[in-house]
Amino acid sequence: MSTYVFTSESVSEGHPDKVCDFISDSILDAHLAQDEHARVACETLAKDNTVVLAGEITSHAEVDHVSVVREAVREIGYTDETQPFAASTLQVLEMLSKQTREIDTAVSNRKEGSMEQGAGDQGIMFGYATDETPELMPLPILLAHRLAATLARHRKSGVDWLLPDSKTQVSVRYEDERPVEVTAVLLSTQHRAPVTQLAIHDFVENTLLAEVLGPWYSDDIELIVNPSGSFTQGGPSADCGLTGRKIIVDTYGGKARHGGGAFSGKDPSKVDRSAAYFCRWVARRIVSEGLARRAELQVAYAIGLARPMSVHVNTFGTGDAIRAGEFAATFDFRPRAIIEQLDLLRPMYRFSSNYGHFGRPDLPWEC
């Protein structure tokens, strides 16, 4: 019997990098709401009282980027004007240009109604599914996300000493590739100064853990809360945030491979995002059809070409790899086909920015 402990982490919407992801996706949604064919590649940097928007946007939409930034930051919860990073007082520096003509031509040069829209870049993307949870997600990342999201919900519903920045980490023991127990939980949360570390630990242990872990809860779990001690300074006031720095948090918590491309701030012509979503969608179907208990897809693209360079399926010895590969070959991996299959030209991306892009039933690639 093989046994090991695997750990995954999540971060809250108030984490500096996630603040930037949310801003970038809010900018994307604002453009798609007016122009579904907008080309958006928006990166965000946040530090102290400044937000920098940089990248390329080609759009017919008229968007007040500063207002979008302020509303996104306000929604997260950074409203305290005594802190450097606050929605009403921050400065926004825009360094945005249009998409280059060469890329636009490579992607857009297709006949009306054709599926031959070129990929927006070269690269490799992965998708993964496992039957170890009903959501077809690895258990460690699923629980880490739930801890972070539930902590944020308590903050917004009245636990007034909680502040937006937090991180979670869950360790799970596997036997023969099946999860058998949660062995450890690590949680660090920003908080107001008067609350004691004992009170924070008590809240996590007696309120949060049982609520989130459900049948995975045990008195034997090693619980570590705010190991650095006091955590009153957080968010971009204390640490620089940048779009696309939490790509493992966004996907499978390290339990599956990653092609390296980030999601947030990119419209679906960028296969870094759309093809990764589609690979997850197909992997879910392989597992749901009973062709394998675990499935990982890799797809590769060349910029300007519609058809992928390769599509590979790995079932890790848990099913019929040949049938799974034949099944995957029945799907159309061309970018335009992916966009139409998953209806990706809608302004919905800000809702995917936090607590994982996968394993959530409110997202079309999870249906």
Side-chain angles (χ1 to χ4, degrees):
M1 177 185 294
S2 65
T3 180
Y4 62 90
V5 174
F6 194 88
T7 302
S8 295
E9 73 158 346
S10 181
V11 296
S12 71
E13 63 214 61
H15 184 280
D17 295 330
K18 276 297 158 191
V19 169
C20 294
D21 285 348
F22 189 62
I23 290 172
S24 291
D25 276 336
S26 296
I27 297 289
L28 169 62
D29 277 358
H31 280 273
L32 290 178
Q34 299 180 40
D35 178 7
E36 66 174 16
H37 299 296
R39 296 288 165 73
V40 179
C42 181
E43 311 283 349
T44 301
L45 180 147
K47 182 67 177 88
D48 293 331
N49 70 335
T50 302
V51 168
V52 179
L53 302 179
E56 301 77 45
I57 298 178
T58 301
S59 171
H60 296 299
E62 295 184 3
V63 176
D64 182 346
H65 294 148
V66 175
S67 294
V68 172
V69 170
R70 292 192 191 281
E71 178 55 33
V73 172
R74 185 175 296 110
E75 188 173 333
I76 292 169
Y78 286 111
T79 57
D80 184 354
E81 295 182 4
T82 67
Q83 297 298 311
F85 190 76
S88 60
T89 58
L90 59 80
Q91 304 178 57
V92 179
L93 175 62
E94 298 189 47
M95 303 177 66
L96 298 165
S97 62
K98 293 185 180 297
Q99 186 179 70
T100 65
R101 180 182 56 81
E102 290 89 347
I103 295 176
D104 178 64
T105 300
V107 174
S108 303
N109 189 17
R110 64 183 183 89
K111 294 180 180 179
E112 188 65 31
S114 166
M115 287 290 135
E116 297 306 311
Q117 173 178 321
D121 202 351
Q122 76 169 56
I124 56 173
M125 299 86 213
F126 287 90
Y128 180 74
T130 172
D131 69 354
E132 66 187 70
T133 63
E135 295 82 1
L136 304 184
M137 285 290 288
L139 183 63
I141 188 66
L142 191 70
L143 294 179
H145 284 322
R146 285 180 182 170
L147 279 169
T150 305
L151 189 69
R153 188 169 70 248
H154 278 286
R155 170 173 63 87
K156 294 177 179 180
S157 63
V159 182
D160 59 3
W161 51 262
L162 284 171
L163 292 173
D165 194 356
S166 66
K167 302 179 77 171
T168 63
Q169 194 167 281
V170 176
S171 301
V172 173
R173 185 166 66 86
Y174 283 77
E175 291 180 357
D176 287 342
E177 295 300 332
R178 309 300 289 177
V180 295
E181 67 172 337
V182 174
T183 61
V185 170
L186 167 62
L187 187 146
S188 295
T189 183
Q190 186 188 11
H191 59 88
R192 299 189 189 278
V195 69
T196 66
Q197 297 302 307
L198 181 61
I200 298 171
H201 192 285
D202 180 72
F203 169 79
V204 174
E205 183 175 28
N206 297 313
T207 299
L208 201 64
L209 276 199
E211 177 182 352
V212 172
L213 298 187
W216 293 101
Y217 177 80
S218 164
D219 290 337
D220 296 328
I221 293 172
E222 179 184 7
L223 176 62
I224 302 173
V225 179
N226 282 14
S228 66
S230 180
F231 183 5
T232 59
Q233 295 182 314
S237 292
D239 191 13
C240 179
L242 189 65
T243 299
R245 247 191 334 208
K246 286 292 178 281
I247 60 176
I248 303 304
V249 169
D250 285 344
T251 52
Y252 307 103
K255 205 71 169 64
R257 286 173 287 190
H258 196 295
F263 299 154
S264 291
K266 298 176 181 178
D267 74 83
S269 73
K270 280 74 173 175
V271 285
D272 276 344
R273 184 170 216 161
S274 55
Y277 291 168
F278 196 66
C279 284
R280 162 68 176 170
W281 193 70
V282 175
R284 289 182 73 252
R285 270 145 188 77
I286 290 173
V287 174
S288 296
E289 291 287 328
L291 298 174
R293 290 192 291 107
R294 296 168 60 204
E296 181 186 77
L297 272 77
Q298 185 212 53
V299 62
Y301 291 92
I303 188 169
L305 301 184
R307 297 185 183 277
M309 308 298 291
S310 64
V311 177
H312 173 68
V313 180
N314 184 359
T315 59
F316 305 95
T318 67
D320 191 327
I322 294 176
R323 286 185 60 206
E326 292 172 346
F327 180 75
T330 66
F331 293 88
D332 193 340
F333 283 81
R334 290 176 295 176
R336 185 67 193 180
I338 291 173
I339 289 169
E340 293 191 3
Q341 176 71 62
L342 299 181
D343 193 15
L344 296 181
L345 295 179
R346 294 175 288 151
M348 59 180 176
Y349 293 100
R350 68 199 308 267
F351 302 109
S352 71
S353 303
N354 294 296
Y355 311 116
H357 290 245
F358 306 124
R360 297 166 43 190
D362 57 333
L363 300 172
W365 46 93
E366 295 294 311
C367 299

